[in-house]
Amino acid sequence: MAARLDLDGQVIEPLKICMIGAGGFIGSHLCEKLMWETQHSVLAIDVYSDKIQHLLEPGQSWSSRIEFHRINIKHDSRLEGLIKLADLTINLAAICTPADYNTRPLDTIYSNFIDALPVVRYCSDNNKRLIHFSTCEVYGKTIGSFLPEDSSLRKDPSYYVLKEDESPCIFGPIEKQRWSYACAKQLIERVIYAEGAENGLEFTIVRPFNWIGPRMDFIPGIDGPSEGVPRVLACFSTNLLKSEPLKLVDGGQSQRTFVYIKDAIDAVMRMVENPQRANGYVFNVGNPDNEVTVRELALMMTEASVVFKTFFQFPRLIFILLIGATQVYTKVSGRPQLDEPTIDVSSKEFYGEGYDDSDKRIPDMTIIKKQLEWEPKTSLFDLLESTLTYQHKTYARAMQQLLSKSLPTA
């Protein structure tokens, strides 16, 4: 493997990375990148390893460079020792499912603030560099959302584009417990920043803006709790797999941007391998070109999911194995074709009491372009196609089996 060069043309020395939350969506993609394309090594920490099990099988060329440690960071004395062994700690651990923010606010606060404090302290005390994953939700509501509906200023980017070093963090009232996540994430950012200012902690803070791709989130009843509510794209995928209308919370008028996981991982790698450019910075990582309302996203997904829409055509669930390299799973139920691809539901009905939301989350990309020379590449259509293809291949058969159990027998 050829030597890797940083952005300034210097040879990158192999690093030992302590990755907390390595078994999750982002962690699994980052571990793949590190194992397949670099000589860095990883101390992978998580309570689950399903998404990185393919990397942990013995006898692979990278097997000596990855160790899995099944640790719950809430109460394990081994954590500091592993951070001491590493050159860099990346903390991905979090509760980050919107449905939990107002139904499990204490767990959300403890997971995203209290449990993260020891990681920050261990890095600071042992002079170890930290890359901490925060969230775009720390921005809260935009200034523009408080302007009159007919104000022309609502179209002025200065009132809604979110800048790391300028935009205020505006949250809803305390009774709207949906903001428990954003508040916890903002407070741990402030602790990290203060550790840098007072104690010299070398840090980078990442604010992801809706990273999308294979292995994201869960499908309720298959690889997550039946009563669980995943994030928007996984919710929509579940609806498509069941041939149900996609549920739009409060009409789906919120605006979001989406970035492909592989583009985002490239940004993270630049932070990992260019500390001289990344230390002390907060980075938005998103794709402002992929901006849509949630309603527009739903309509795009129903357009892009022809394979899903052809499933329900016959009176019984069947499985067809086509001759060739691929297997195509077809679900059928005898239901008539849906006339409407979407339905509107209230946020109270969908998420429970205490839910609130931001109107727009559009990242300013000035800092990351300047410091890391990074720009996203993948269009919204292409990332949806890739993600839906993965969801279909991974979950369609399991969804057939789940739905077949609820069908009446003859």
Side-chain angles (χ1 to χ4, degrees):
M1 186 179 294
R4 292 174 65 85
L5 302 179
D6 67 18
L7 294 173
D8 297 312
Q10 302 300 308
V11 173
I12 299 167
E13 297 297 328
L15 299 170
K16 179 167 284 190
I17 300 168
C18 177
M19 190 186 303
I20 303 168
F25 164 52
I26 297 172
S28 66
H29 286 275
L30 184 53
C31 282
E32 284 181 345
K33 184 82 169 182
L34 290 165
M35 293 302 103
W36 294 347
E37 299 183 24
T38 81
Q39 289 299 313
H40 304 312
S41 59
V42 174
L43 302 171
I45 296 174
D46 212 317
V47 291
Y48 302 108
S49 60
D50 301 22
K51 293 180 180 180
I52 57 170
Q53 194 57 48
H54 60 295
L55 299 174
L56 302 177
E57 298 297 333
Q60 303 183 92
S61 61
W62 58 81
S63 293
S64 64
R65 293 190 290 111
I66 185 167
E67 299 175 11
F68 180 72
H69 297 265
R70 196 175 303 279
I71 290 178
N72 185 329
I73 65 170
K74 291 177 183 290
H75 44 68
D76 201 302
S77 59
R78 292 175 291 173
L79 180 60
E80 184 175 12
L82 292 170
I83 288 175
K84 285 182 178 180
L85 289 174
D87 303 301
L88 163 69
T89 293
I90 300 176
N91 189 8
L92 293 153
I95 287 179
C96 52
T97 304
D100 291 331
Y101 303 162
N102 59 300
T103 58
R104 299 170 56 204
L106 285 177
D107 285 343
T108 299
I109 293 168
Y110 271 78
S111 172
N112 293 292
F113 176 63
I114 303 298
D115 295 346
L117 281 173
V119 177
V120 179
R121 186 174 70 251
Y122 295 153
C123 288
S124 185
D125 290 349
N126 294 285
N127 297 312
K128 301 295 184 179
R129 185 176 166 225
L130 171 66
I131 295 179
H132 180 82
F133 274 70
S134 184
T135 172
C136 61
E137 295 212 16
V138 298
Y139 292 110
K141 297 171 179 279
T142 66
I143 297 173
S145 68
F146 294 92
L147 297 172
E149 291 286 345
D150 58 352
S151 172
S152 61
L153 292 177
R154 278 181 169 262
K155 297 180 180 180
D156 183 341
S158 64
Y159 286 87
Y160 64 83
V161 173
L162 302 170
K163 300 182 178 183
E164 301 97 322
D165 55 349
E166 293 183 15
S167 296
C169 303
I170 307 172
F171 302 144
I174 295 298
E175 67 180 17
K176 298 294 186 180
Q177 296 200 86
R178 182 257 189 280
W179 298 109
S180 59
Y181 173 67
C183 286
K185 283 290 194 179
Q186 184 200 147
L187 189 53
I188 197 64
E189 280 197 27
R190 293 191 181 277
V191 171
I192 292 168
Y193 196 91
E195 281 285 355
E198 293 189 25
N199 298 320
L201 173 67
E202 293 187 356
F203 72 87
T204 302
I205 293 172
V206 186
R207 291 178 179 169
F209 280 72
N210 297 300
W211 295 10
I212 300 300
R215 299 194 294 273
M216 62 168 291
D217 231 321
F218 63 92
I219 299 295
I222 295 179
D223 58 357
S226 298
E227 68 281 3
V229 181
R231 282 164 289 189
V232 61
L233 202 69
C235 280
F236 286 173
S237 295
T238 301
N239 296 143
L240 290 170
L241 284 163
K242 293 181 177 180
S243 194
E244 296 175 348
L246 278 58
K247 296 179 179 179
L248 301 178
V249 176
D250 295 335
Q253 295 307 307
S254 296
Q255 290 179 270
R256 297 291 183 265
T257 60
F258 296 87
V259 64
Y260 191 46
I261 183 63
K262 294 189 184 302
D263 291 347
I265 291 299
D266 178 58
V268 177
M269 288 299 301
R270 293 176 185 229
M271 298 173 205
V272 168
E273 297 183 330
N274 295 273
Q276 74 283 1
R277 291 184 177 220
N279 282 342
Y281 282 92
V282 180
F283 291 114
N284 290 338
V285 182
N287 189 341
D289 292 334
N290 287 345
E291 177 192 352
V292 289
T293 67
V294 174
R295 177 176 290 277
E296 289 168 344
L297 175 69
L299 294 176
M300 283 189 71
M301 288 181 69
T302 54
E303 291 292 331
S305 61
V306 176
V307 68
F308 288 105
K309 294 196 293 184
T310 60
F311 286 161
F312 292 85
Q313 295 178 354
F314 302 100
R316 299 179 62 188
L317 288 167
I318 60 173
F319 165 72
I320 301 176
L321 173 61
L322 296 182
I323 298 174
T326 62
Q327 292 182 338
V328 178
Y329 302 91
T330 303
K331 292 195 305 293
V332 291
S333 71
R335 301 179 187 177
Q337 183 71 32
L338 295 174
D339 294 327
E340 296 293 332
T342 64
I343 57 172
D344 291 352
V345 296
S346 70
S347 55
K348 181 178 180 180
E349 176 187 354
F350 194 78
Y351 287 118
E353 194 71 46
Y355 189 78
D356 197 7
D357 208 350
S358 55
D359 56 324
K360 291 187 179 186
R361 294 200 199 115
I362 315 301
D364 180 87
M365 305 300 291
T366 303
I367 293 178
I368 197 167
K369 286 181 182 179
K370 178 182 177 182
Q371 290 301 119
L372 301 180
E373 302 174 19
W374 178 83
E375 291 186 74
K377 301 174 182 178
T378 309
S379 71
L380 183 58
F381 181 85
D382 287 343
L383 74 83
L384 284 178
E385 184 177 47
S386 173
T387 305
L388 286 174
T389 298
Y390 170 84
Q391 297 284 71
H392 166 57
K393 289 181 178 178
T394 305
Y395 294 113
R397 188 178 185 186
M399 184 63 76
Q400 284 182 350
Q401 295 170 344
L402 184 68
L403 292 176
S404 67
K405 293 177 182 178
S406 64
L407 289 179
T409 57

mmCIF file of all heavy atoms in Angstrom, residues 157-194:
data_model
loop_
_atom_site.group_PDB
_atom_site.id
_atom_site.type_symbol
_atom_site.label_atom_id
_atom_site.label_comp_id
_atom_site.label_asym_id
_atom_site.label_seq_id
_atom_site.Cartn_x
_atom_site.Cartn_y
_atom_site.Cartn_z
ATOM 1 N N PRO A 157 -30.224 34.284 2.867
ATOM 2 C CA PRO A 157 -29.428 33.215 3.487
ATOM 3 C C PRO A 157 -28.844 33.578 4.847
ATOM 4 O O PRO A 157 -28.620 32.701 5.682
ATOM 5 C CB PRO A 157 -28.315 32.973 2.456
ATOM 6 C CG PRO A 157 -28.900 33.409 1.155
ATOM 7 C CD PRO A 157 -29.773 34.574 1.496
ATOM 8 N N SER A 158 -28.603 34.856 5.098
ATOM 9 C CA SER A 158 -28.028 35.245 6.386
ATOM 10 C C SER A 158 -28.966 34.954 7.548
ATOM 11 O O SER A 158 -28.534 34.935 8.696
ATOM 12 C CB SER A 158 -27.661 36.739 6.372
ATOM 13 O OG SER A 158 -28.810 37.556 6.230
ATOM 14 N N TYR A 159 -30.249 34.689 7.252
ATOM 15 C CA TYR A 159 -31.210 34.412 8.300
ATOM 16 C C TYR A 159 -31.443 32.912 8.516
ATOM 17 O O TYR A 159 -32.169 32.530 9.421
ATOM 18 C CB TYR A 159 -32.553 35.092 8.001
ATOM 19 C CG TYR A 159 -32.523 36.582 8.229
ATOM 20 C CD1 TYR A 159 -32.109 37.450 7.221
ATOM 21 C CD2 TYR A 159 -32.888 37.138 9.449
ATOM 22 C CE1 TYR A 159 -32.070 38.823 7.419
ATOM 23 C CE2 TYR A 159 -32.853 38.500 9.666
ATOM 24 C CZ TYR A 159 -32.433 39.342 8.649
ATOM 25 O OH TYR A 159 -32.380 40.711 8.860
ATOM 26 N N TYR A 160 -30.849 32.065 7.663
ATOM 27 C CA TYR A 160 -31.084 30.631 7.867
ATOM 28 C C TYR A 160 -29.875 29.731 7.597
ATOM 29 O O TYR A 160 -29.839 28.595 8.068
ATOM 30 C CB TYR A 160 -32.279 30.151 7.035
ATOM 31 C CG TYR A 160 -32.109 30.246 5.538
ATOM 32 C CD1 TYR A 160 -31.438 29.256 4.814
ATOM 33 C CD2 TYR A 160 -32.642 31.306 4.822
ATOM 34 C CE1 TYR A 160 -31.286 29.335 3.440
ATOM 35 C CE2 TYR A 160 -32.506 31.397 3.450
ATOM 36 C CZ TYR A 160 -31.817 30.416 2.769
ATOM 37 O OH TYR A 160 -31.675 30.501 1.405
ATOM 38 N N VAL A 161 -28.866 30.184 6.836
ATOM 39 C CA VAL A 161 -27.676 29.354 6.630
ATOM 40 C C VAL A 161 -26.866 29.328 7.920
ATOM 41 O O VAL A 161 -26.633 30.366 8.545
ATOM 42 C CB VAL A 161 -26.828 29.885 5.459
ATOM 43 C CG1 VAL A 161 -25.517 29.120 5.362
ATOM 44 C CG2 VAL A 161 -27.606 29.747 4.148
ATOM 45 N N LEU A 162 -26.439 28.135 8.335
ATOM 46 C CA LEU A 162 -25.862 27.936 9.664
ATOM 47 C C LEU A 162 -24.334 27.924 9.608
ATOM 48 O O LEU A 162 -23.728 27.077 8.948
ATOM 49 C CB LEU A 162 -26.389 26.621 10.243
ATOM 50 C CG LEU A 162 -27.930 26.566 10.341
ATOM 51 C CD1 LEU A 162 -28.401 25.169 10.697
ATOM 52 C CD2 LEU A 162 -28.448 27.595 11.342
ATOM 53 N N LYS A 163 -23.730 28.860 10.329
ATOM 54 C CA LYS A 163 -22.275 29.032 10.333
ATOM 55 C C LYS A 163 -21.713 28.648 11.701
ATOM 56 O O LYS A 163 -22.218 29.091 12.730
ATOM 57 C CB LYS A 163 -21.910 30.478 10.002
ATOM 58 C CG LYS A 163 -22.394 30.932 8.633
ATOM 59 C CD LYS A 163 -21.959 32.359 8.335
ATOM 60 C CE LYS A 163 -22.406 32.795 6.943
ATOM 61 N NZ LYS A 163 -21.942 34.163 6.602
ATOM 62 N N GLU A 164 -20.644 27.869 11.680
ATOM 63 C CA GLU A 164 -20.068 27.346 12.915
ATOM 64 C C GLU A 164 -19.641 28.440 13.886
ATOM 65 O O GLU A 164 -19.765 28.283 15.110
ATOM 66 C CB GLU A 164 -18.835 26.468 12.610
ATOM 67 C CG GLU A 164 -19.111 25.276 11.724
ATOM 68 C CD GLU A 164 -18.781 25.543 10.266
ATOM 69 O OE1 GLU A 164 -19.027 26.677 9.803
ATOM 70 O OE2 GLU A 164 -18.270 24.626 9.603
ATOM 71 N N ASP A 165 -19.102 29.539 13.373
ATOM 72 C CA ASP A 165 -18.513 30.564 14.228
ATOM 73 C C ASP A 165 -19.379 31.813 14.387
ATOM 74 O O ASP A 165 -18.959 32.780 15.027
ATOM 75 C CB ASP A 165 -17.145 30.983 13.671
ATOM 76 C CG ASP A 165 -17.200 31.443 12.217
ATOM 77 O OD1 ASP A 165 -18.257 31.247 11.576
ATOM 78 O OD2 ASP A 165 -16.194 31.993 11.734
ATOM 79 N N GLU A 166 -20.616 31.762 13.837
ATOM 80 C CA GLU A 166 -21.463 32.950 13.914
ATOM 81 C C GLU A 166 -22.894 32.664 14.345
ATOM 82 O O GLU A 166 -23.479 33.450 15.097
ATOM 83 C CB GLU A 166 -21.502 33.669 12.558
ATOM 84 C CG GLU A 166 -20.182 34.282 12.122
ATOM 85 C CD GLU A 166 -20.317 35.037 10.812
ATOM 86 O OE1 GLU A 166 -21.467 35.335 10.393
ATOM 87 O OE2 GLU A 166 -19.277 35.333 10.187
ATOM 88 N N SER A 167 -23.476 31.584 13.872
ATOM 89 C CA SER A 167 -24.909 31.355 14.095
ATOM 90 C C SER A 167 -25.213 31.089 15.568
ATOM 91 O O SER A 167 -24.517 30.310 16.225
ATOM 92 C CB SER A 167 -25.396 30.172 13.256
ATOM 93 O OG SER A 167 -25.272 30.450 11.882
ATOM 94 N N PRO A 168 -26.268 31.723 16.101
ATOM 95 C CA PRO A 168 -26.661 31.452 17.477
ATOM 96 C C PRO A 168 -27.342 30.091 17.600
ATOM 97 O O PRO A 168 -27.795 29.527 16.596
ATOM 98 C CB PRO A 168 -27.651 32.583 17.782
ATOM 99 C CG PRO A 168 -28.250 32.914 16.444
ATOM 100 C CD PRO A 168 -27.139 32.723 15.442
ATOM 101 N N CYS A 169 -27.377 29.583 18.811
ATOM 102 C CA CYS A 169 -28.063 28.313 19.091
ATOM 103 C C CYS A 169 -29.379 28.654 19.779
ATOM 104 O O CYS A 169 -29.386 29.087 20.934
ATOM 105 C CB CYS A 169 -27.199 27.419 19.973
ATOM 106 S SG CYS A 169 -25.569 27.059 19.280
ATOM 107 N N ILE A 170 -30.485 28.469 19.066
ATOM 108 C CA ILE A 170 -31.800 28.923 19.544
ATOM 109 C C ILE A 170 -32.708 27.713 19.741
ATOM 110 O O ILE A 170 -33.097 27.057 18.770
ATOM 111 C CB ILE A 170 -32.451 29.888 18.534
ATOM 112 C CG1 ILE A 170 -31.499 31.038 18.192
ATOM 113 C CG2 ILE A 170 -33.764 30.429 19.091
ATOM 114 C CD1 ILE A 170 -31.991 31.931 17.068
ATOM 115 N N PHE A 171 -33.060 27.424 20.980
ATOM 116 C CA PHE A 171 -33.885 26.263 21.281
ATOM 117 C C PHE A 171 -35.282 26.682 21.735
ATOM 118 O O PHE A 171 -35.526 27.842 22.061
ATOM 119 C CB PHE A 171 -33.246 25.406 22.377
ATOM 120 C CG PHE A 171 -31.865 24.917 22.030
ATOM 121 C CD1 PHE A 171 -30.883 24.808 22.996
ATOM 122 C CD2 PHE A 171 -31.542 24.581 20.728
ATOM 123 C CE1 PHE A 171 -29.609 24.367 22.675
ATOM 124 C CE2 PHE A 171 -30.280 24.134 20.386
ATOM 125 C CZ PHE A 171 -29.303 24.031 21.369
ATOM 126 N N GLY A 172 -36.188 25.713 21.768
ATOM 127 C CA GLY A 172 -37.543 25.947 22.228
ATOM 128 C C GLY A 172 -37.634 25.952 23.738
ATOM 129 O O GLY A 172 -36.633 25.783 24.447
ATOM 130 N N PRO A 173 -38.841 26.120 24.276
ATOM 131 C CA PRO A 173 -39.025 26.171 25.735
ATOM 132 C C PRO A 173 -38.706 24.836 26.399
ATOM 133 O O PRO A 173 -38.674 23.791 25.745
ATOM 134 C CB PRO A 173 -40.506 26.526 25.883
ATOM 135 C CG PRO A 173 -41.143 26.108 24.601
ATOM 136 C CD PRO A 173 -40.106 26.294 23.543
ATOM 137 N N ILE A 174 -38.475 24.872 27.715
ATOM 138 C CA ILE A 174 -38.085 23.690 28.466
ATOM 139 C C ILE A 174 -39.116 22.575 28.335
ATOM 140 O O ILE A 174 -38.777 21.390 28.267
ATOM 141 C CB ILE A 174 -37.877 24.041 29.957
ATOM 142 C CG1 ILE A 174 -36.700 25.013 30.112
ATOM 143 C CG2 ILE A 174 -37.640 22.782 30.788
ATOM 144 C CD1 ILE A 174 -35.374 24.460 29.658
ATOM 145 N N GLU A 175 -40.395 22.923 28.264
ATOM 146 C CA GLU A 175 -41.426 21.883 28.178
ATOM 147 C C GLU A 175 -41.364 21.120 26.849
ATOM 148 O O GLU A 175 -41.933 20.036 26.731
ATOM 149 C CB GLU A 175 -42.807 22.493 28.367
ATOM 150 C CG GLU A 175 -43.234 23.420 27.237
ATOM 151 C CD GLU A 175 -44.609 24.012 27.445
ATOM 152 O OE1 GLU A 175 -45.118 23.976 28.583
ATOM 153 O OE2 GLU A 175 -45.176 24.503 26.463
ATOM 154 N N LYS A 176 -40.684 21.667 25.866
ATOM 155 C CA LYS A 176 -40.473 20.949 24.613
ATOM 156 C C LYS A 176 -39.208 20.101 24.759
ATOM 157 O O LYS A 176 -38.100 20.505 24.399
ATOM 158 C CB LYS A 176 -40.327 21.934 23.445
ATOM 159 C CG LYS A 176 -41.557 22.792 23.198
ATOM 160 C CD LYS A 176 -42.745 21.968 22.743
ATOM 161 C CE LYS A 176 -43.908 22.867 22.355
ATOM 162 N NZ LYS A 176 -45.086 22.074 21.908
ATOM 163 N N GLN A 177 -39.370 18.905 25.304
ATOM 164 C CA GLN A 177 -38.210 18.095 25.663
ATOM 165 C C GLN A 177 -37.468 17.542 24.457
ATOM 166 O O GLN A 177 -36.390 16.962 24.599
ATOM 167 C CB GLN A 177 -38.635 16.965 26.607
ATOM 168 C CG GLN A 177 -39.151 17.480 27.931
ATOM 169 C CD GLN A 177 -39.112 16.442 29.018
ATOM 170 O OE1 GLN A 177 -38.115 16.262 29.686
ATOM 171 N NE2 GLN A 177 -40.225 15.740 29.191
ATOM 172 N N ARG A 178 -37.996 17.764 23.296
ATOM 173 C CA ARG A 178 -37.299 17.390 22.077
ATOM 174 C C ARG A 178 -35.912 18.042 22.017
ATOM 175 O O ARG A 178 -34.993 17.527 21.397
ATOM 176 C CB ARG A 178 -38.154 17.832 20.883
ATOM 177 C CG ARG A 178 -37.601 17.490 19.539
ATOM 178 C CD ARG A 178 -36.981 18.689 18.866
ATOM 179 N NE ARG A 178 -36.648 18.370 17.491
ATOM 180 C CZ ARG A 178 -35.567 17.709 17.108
ATOM 181 N NH1 ARG A 178 -34.706 17.300 18.012
ATOM 182 N NH2 ARG A 178 -35.336 17.446 15.841
ATOM 183 N N TRP A 179 -35.742 19.189 22.703
ATOM 184 C CA TRP A 179 -34.473 19.906 22.672
ATOM 185 C C TRP A 179 -33.465 19.368 23.687
ATOM 186 O O TRP A 179 -32.358 19.912 23.799
ATOM 187 C CB TRP A 179 -34.702 21.405 22.881
ATOM 188 C CG TRP A 179 -35.542 21.993 21.792
ATOM 189 C CD1 TRP A 179 -36.821 22.428 21.890
ATOM 190 C CD2 TRP A 179 -35.173 22.182 20.427
ATOM 191 N NE1 TRP A 179 -37.282 22.884 20.676
ATOM 192 C CE2 TRP A 179 -36.283 22.736 19.757
ATOM 193 C CE3 TRP A 179 -34.007 21.943 19.705
ATOM 194 C CZ2 TRP A 179 -36.265 23.052 18.400
ATOM 195 C CZ3 TRP A 179 -33.980 22.252 18.356
ATOM 196 C CH2 TRP A 179 -35.104 22.804 17.711
ATOM 197 N N SER A 180 -33.825 18.312 24.405
ATOM 198 C CA SER A 180 -32.883 17.719 25.364
ATOM 199 C C SER A 180 -31.609 17.253 24.659
ATOM 200 O O SER A 180 -30.499 17.399 25.197
ATOM 201 C CB SER A 180 -33.539 16.544 26.101
ATOM 202 O OG SER A 180 -33.958 15.533 25.187
ATOM 203 N N TYR A 181 -31.752 16.705 23.471
ATOM 204 C CA TYR A 181 -30.603 16.214 22.697
ATOM 205 C C TYR A 181 -29.691 17.366 22.292
ATOM 206 O O TYR A 181 -28.475 17.346 22.530
ATOM 207 C CB TYR A 181 -31.121 15.474 21.467
ATOM 208 C CG TYR A 181 -30.064 15.034 20.473
ATOM 209 C CD1 TYR A 181 -29.127 14.066 20.810
ATOM 210 C CD2 TYR A 181 -30.031 15.577 19.187
ATOM 211 C CE1 TYR A 181 -28.168 13.649 19.890
ATOM 212 C CE2 TYR A 181 -29.083 15.159 18.269
ATOM 213 C CZ TYR A 181 -28.154 14.200 18.621
ATOM 214 O OH TYR A 181 -27.209 13.785 17.718
ATOM 215 N N ALA A 182 -30.263 18.387 21.690
ATOM 216 C CA ALA A 182 -29.471 19.514 21.210
ATOM 217 C C ALA A 182 -28.768 20.222 22.368
ATOM 218 O O ALA A 182 -27.600 20.624 22.240
ATOM 219 C CB ALA A 182 -30.371 20.495 20.455
ATOM 220 N N CYS A 183 -29.473 20.391 23.493
ATOM 221 C CA CYS A 183 -28.872 21.063 24.652
ATOM 222 C C CYS A 183 -27.693 20.257 25.196
ATOM 223 O O CYS A 183 -26.644 20.818 25.531
ATOM 224 C CB CYS A 183 -29.913 21.266 25.743
ATOM 225 S SG CYS A 183 -31.114 22.564 25.383
ATOM 226 N N ALA A 184 -27.856 18.935 25.304
ATOM 227 C CA ALA A 184 -26.778 18.084 25.805
ATOM 228 C C ALA A 184 -25.573 18.133 24.879
ATOM 229 O O ALA A 184 -24.419 18.218 25.331
ATOM 230 C CB ALA A 184 -27.278 16.648 25.963
ATOM 231 N N LYS A 185 -25.833 18.085 23.586
ATOM 232 C CA LYS A 185 -24.745 18.132 22.605
ATOM 233 C C LYS A 185 -24.038 19.490 22.623
ATOM 234 O O LYS A 185 -22.803 19.568 22.498
ATOM 235 C CB LYS A 185 -25.281 17.833 21.210
ATOM 236 C CG LYS A 185 -25.559 16.367 20.938
ATOM 237 C CD LYS A 185 -24.267 15.568 20.854
ATOM 238 C CE LYS A 185 -24.453 14.203 20.253
ATOM 239 N NZ LYS A 185 -23.182 13.459 20.167
ATOM 240 N N GLN A 186 -24.806 20.567 22.770
ATOM 241 C CA GLN A 186 -24.172 21.880 22.812
ATOM 242 C C GLN A 186 -23.311 22.017 24.072
ATOM 243 O O GLN A 186 -22.192 22.551 24.023
ATOM 244 C CB GLN A 186 -25.206 22.996 22.787
ATOM 245 C CG GLN A 186 -24.546 24.370 22.734
ATOM 246 C CD GLN A 186 -25.440 25.494 23.180
ATOM 247 O OE1 GLN A 186 -24.967 26.476 23.752
ATOM 248 N NE2 GLN A 186 -26.732 25.382 22.910
ATOM 249 N N LEU A 187 -23.790 21.520 25.205
ATOM 250 C CA LEU A 187 -23.048 21.675 26.448
ATOM 251 C C LEU A 187 -21.736 20.893 26.422
ATOM 252 O O LEU A 187 -20.707 21.395 26.892
ATOM 253 C CB LEU A 187 -23.905 21.237 27.635
ATOM 254 C CG LEU A 187 -23.318 21.542 29.023
ATOM 255 C CD1 LEU A 187 -22.935 23.017 29.148
ATOM 256 C CD2 LEU A 187 -24.308 21.155 30.110
ATOM 257 N N ILE A 188 -21.748 19.673 25.837
ATOM 258 C CA ILE A 188 -20.484 18.934 25.766
ATOM 259 C C ILE A 188 -19.527 19.625 24.791
ATOM 260 O O ILE A 188 -18.305 19.623 25.001
ATOM 261 C CB ILE A 188 -20.713 17.445 25.395
ATOM 262 C CG1 ILE A 188 -19.469 16.613 25.742
ATOM 263 C CG2 ILE A 188 -21.080 17.266 23.936
ATOM 264 C CD1 ILE A 188 -19.140 16.552 27.208
ATOM 265 N N GLU A 189 -20.051 20.265 23.740
ATOM 266 C CA GLU A 189 -19.191 21.068 22.867
ATOM 267 C C GLU A 189 -18.511 22.175 23.669
ATOM 268 O O GLU A 189 -17.317 22.452 23.493
ATOM 269 C CB GLU A 189 -20.004 21.701 21.730
ATOM 270 C CG GLU A 189 -20.311 20.799 20.563
ATOM 271 C CD GLU A 189 -20.747 21.596 19.331
ATOM 272 O OE1 GLU A 189 -20.333 22.774 19.211
ATOM 273 O OE2 GLU A 189 -21.490 21.048 18.507
ATOM 274 N N ARG A 190 -19.263 22.827 24.535
ATOM 275 C CA ARG A 190 -18.704 23.923 25.321
ATOM 276 C C ARG A 190 -17.641 23.427 26.296
ATOM 277 O O ARG A 190 -16.629 24.102 26.540
ATOM 278 C CB ARG A 190 -19.819 24.678 26.045
ATOM 279 C CG ARG A 190 -20.753 25.414 25.079
ATOM 280 C CD ARG A 190 -21.684 26.372 25.787
ATOM 281 N NE ARG A 190 -22.569 27.040 24.847
ATOM 282 C CZ ARG A 190 -22.243 28.116 24.130
ATOM 283 N NH1 ARG A 190 -21.026 28.647 24.248
ATOM 284 N NH2 ARG A 190 -23.113 28.663 23.304
ATOM 285 N N VAL A 191 -17.850 22.246 26.874
ATOM 286 C CA VAL A 191 -16.844 21.657 27.754
ATOM 287 C C VAL A 191 -15.557 21.383 26.967
ATOM 288 O O VAL A 191 -14.444 21.687 27.420
ATOM 289 C CB VAL A 191 -17.372 20.358 28.397
ATOM 290 C CG1 VAL A 191 -16.249 19.618 29.129
ATOM 291 C CG2 VAL A 191 -18.505 20.667 29.365
ATOM 292 N N ILE A 192 -15.709 20.788 25.780
ATOM 293 C CA ILE A 192 -14.538 20.475 24.942
ATOM 294 C C ILE A 192 -13.799 21.756 24.563
ATOM 295 O O ILE A 192 -12.563 21.838 24.657
ATOM 296 C CB ILE A 192 -14.978 19.700 23.681
ATOM 297 C CG1 ILE A 192 -15.485 18.313 24.069
ATOM 298 C CG2 ILE A 192 -13.824 19.598 22.678
ATOM 299 C CD1 ILE A 192 -16.203 17.581 22.936
ATOM 300 N N TYR A 193 -14.541 22.764 24.148
ATOM 301 C CA TYR A 193 -13.921 24.027 23.765
ATOM 302 C C TYR A 193 -13.190 24.649 24.948
ATOM 303 O O TYR A 193 -12.064 25.171 24.810
ATOM 304 C CB TYR A 193 -14.985 24.985 23.219
ATOM 305 C CG TYR A 193 -14.418 26.146 22.450
ATOM 306 C CD1 TYR A 193 -14.225 26.054 21.077
ATOM 307 C CD2 TYR A 193 -14.067 27.333 23.096
ATOM 308 C CE1 TYR A 193 -13.701 27.128 20.354
ATOM 309 C CE2 TYR A 193 -13.537 28.406 22.385
ATOM 310 C CZ TYR A 193 -13.353 28.293 21.021
ATOM 311 O OH TYR A 193 -12.829 29.348 20.307
ATOM 312 N N ALA A 194 -13.800 24.585 26.135
ATOM 313 C CA ALA A 194 -13.171 25.135 27.337
ATOM 314 C C ALA A 194 -11.916 24.359 27.712
ATOM 315 O O ALA A 194 -10.913 24.944 28.141
ATOM 316 C CB ALA A 194 -14.175 25.122 28.491
#
